[in-house]
Each structure stands twice: as structure tokens, then as C-alpha cells.
Amino acid sequence: MKKYDVCVIKGDGIGPEIIEEAIKVLDAVSHKFNFELNFDYRLMGGAAIDIMGVPLPDETLNAAKSSDAVLFGAIGGAKWDGLPRELRPESGLLKIRKELGAFANLRPAMIFDELINASTLKPEIIKGVDIMVVRELTGGIYFGQPRVKNEKDALNTMCYNATEIERVAKVAFEAALLRNKKITLVDKANVLETSQLWREVVSELAKNYAGINLEFMYVDNAAMQLVRAPAQFDVILTENLFGDILSDEASMICGSIGLLPSASIGGKVGIYEPIHGSAPDIAGQGIANPIATILSAAMMLKYAFGENEAAAAIESAVRAVLRDGYRTKDIAQYDAKEICSTAEIGSIIADYAAKA
Ligand code: IPM
Ligand code: MG
């Protein structure tokens, strides 16, 4: 039987609750599809700061490096906001992404037809939307050196080299080949040198992908187009900070940020996490939506292990559960037949996936 080692990081806030449901669903499909998952639980973020004094302990990083994949919940909270930047929970996440070489962040934003009314945008605008944001994740202004902060000055720098651009662009082109064969490179090439380099490198690479339609769009326009006519997009390729912003925007097209998964890949070990944060305000109440994490687990099965059937079983279980009217509180007002707690909807999805 095939065996996979998963490093599980629950994190803070709703992290532990949503991860528990993803584990339930993973257990269900691993039995059904005949593979074994070994879960190794580790600390990162505020939970690690409280116990070990740092946001990413070496034990966690080493465990992640020697695993087959990292499944991660969410980190952060007001409790740790006053800490210096290097000691904040977010620094743990940025470091693990960098250390694992997870330079390509895939963030799909798709519409669940059952929830078409949950979006703040009109149904006719969002019908059929299926976007994949490919965000560069280990470069740009997040990591640029030098960085300075004192009382009078602050400095951050956006740096990119051709190698960093080309490797993430390749991921986008490969993704586009399996989708609608269109890439929109989002940048600010009318102002930024880094963006000009992105355009040059991506245009050059495009010569190897004859079937792909490559478009360029300034980031301000892209922010506008995403709410004006989101169906025009297929793959959006962009640098780290623009991708952070646009992927949150794209997530709201489908109604709840609690629904969308992500995969951070490129290195030997990938990180699979929901795109939402730790939502400390609703932690511990059993009302968090675990679907984004459950779908992240599905992405892990697909991208890290090639267990495509099991991944597809999870995706169809989620759709069927939504079709049958089961809802967590965040999406309760949209055609709900039954309002579920975090644990209840997790169990229902696990049952559906086991029967799929
Ligand atoms: C995300 C988050 C992180 C980021 C934060 C928590 C550092 O917003 O994964 O999108 O900016 O990358
Ligand atoms: Mg973000």
C-alpha cells in the first residue's frame, strides 16, 4: 500500500477546528482508495511562539522538509500583533514557504453553482467563472533586501531576477495548458522595472507554448476587471504582493473566503492551506467553514501524491453537500436546508466522499 507522510500544522484561531475536518475527510478517502496517510503534528505561528518562543521552530521546519507534504490551517491573531516583525506568526509562514522553495502559489477561484447567490456580484456576471491565480510566493517585496524601519524612515524593495520569474511562469503555462489556455500577466509595467522584466521573461517563455494566449494587464485595471467581468480570466500570473491582493479579491467572487483552497508548490515539499486567515473572532465556536481546508487537502492529494481519484472524490463530495443544502453559518442564508457546525459538515463531506 502506498504511504504518505503529511506534516500537519494546525496553527491559530480556527486553524485546529478546520484541520480536524480535513483529517476526517482524508481518513475517509484513504481507506476507500487504498493508501495510508501518516500525520505528524507540528507547531507554527502563535501556538509555537507561546510554547517555544519562535514562530517556526527548527523541529517543525525539519519535519516539514522530511515530509511528503505540509497541510496547514491558519496563523495569527491580535495576541501576537505587538511582537517585532521577525517574531510575528506571519514570519513563520513566510519562512517555511521560502525554506521549502514553494515559489508558486496556486489559488483557484471557482463558482459553486449552488452558491451563485452568495456572491456580492450579480449571478449573470459570475456565472461560469473559473480562475486560477498563480502567485509568485518567495520573492518580490515580501523578501526584498534591504528592509529598514526606524522612527523616521522605512524601506522595502521589490526585486526579481529572470530565474525567479521564469520558474513560476512555467507553472502558469503548464496550468493553462490543462485549462482554457489563456494567461493574463498582471503587473505595473508602466511604472515598475520589475514588471518590465516580468513582461520580457514571460513573453520569451510564451514562444515555447504556441497554444497559449498571453495577455498583459496593469494591476489597477485587473482589480477593476475582476469585479466588472471576471469570466474573461483563466490563469492570472502575477508577482507576490499583487497576487496576495488579487487572490483575496477573486475569492469574494465566489461568495465566501471560507471556500477556497491553495497549493504552494515548486520545491520538493508543497504546502496546502486555505486562503483565508485564522479568524480569531469566531475561533472555538464551531461555526468556521472547513471547506477551504478540505479542498486544500484535495489539492494535496492531487499535486503532491498524484491520488487524483481521491482528490476528485473530495471535490465532488463538497459539491454534492452544497447541492443538498448543507451550510455552515457563513453561507447559511443561501438556499440552506440544514445549518451545520464545523464538525457536522466535515463529517457529512467525509461520508459523501467515502461513498463517491
Ligand atoms: C496569504 C496571507 C499571507 C501573505 C500573510 C499571512 C503573511 O495573506 O497567504 O495570502 O501575505 O502571503
Ligand atoms: Mg493574503
Side-chain angles (χ1 to χ4, degrees), residues 61 161 233 245 271 279 333 340:
L61 183 58
N161 62 47
F233 295 104
I245 298 166
I271 308 168
Q333 60 273 49
C340 305

Side-chain angles (χ1 to χ4, degrees), residues 28-42:
V29 293
S30 66
H31 287 128
K32 183 174 160 73
F33 293 95
N34 253 315
F35 55 89
E36 209 175 298
L37 294 170
N38 172 35
F39 300 115
D40 179 13
Y41 291 87
R42 299 286 169 167

